[in-house]
Amino acid sequence: MWSLHWIDGRVGMHPVPCVGRFGDDGVGRFFADDSWEGRAIRVRFLWSAITPTSCRWEQAFSYDGEETWETNWIMDFTRVS
């Protein structure tokens, strides 16, 4: 079990960590209850496509108890030598 803490340069550390783990498929799934613009949401972070030199991170929000997800941020990371 891992806890991911988000730090925003505008407001500092976000008070709610995303908690989860990496599955047998190598994908990390992390969740938190939070709010966005005054509305209750469920947050999901996915870490996938992990290699020694790259990975993908995705953020998604659910407004309906994880029935549907709106992916709103994707980052592909590449390690430089």
Side-chain angles (χ1 to χ4, degrees), residues 29-42:
R29 293 171 180 85
F30 303 87
F31 300 91
D33 293 313
D34 206 343
S35 64
W36 177 255
E37 297 179 345
R39 189 174 175 188
I41 61 170
R42 185 79 165 150

Side-chain angles (χ1 to χ4, degrees), residues 2-3 5 7 14 32 38 57 65-66 69 71 74:
W2 294 54
S3 294
H5 296 267
I7 298 176
H14 201 274
W57 174 85
E66 298 187 29
W69 291 97
T71 300
I74 298 172

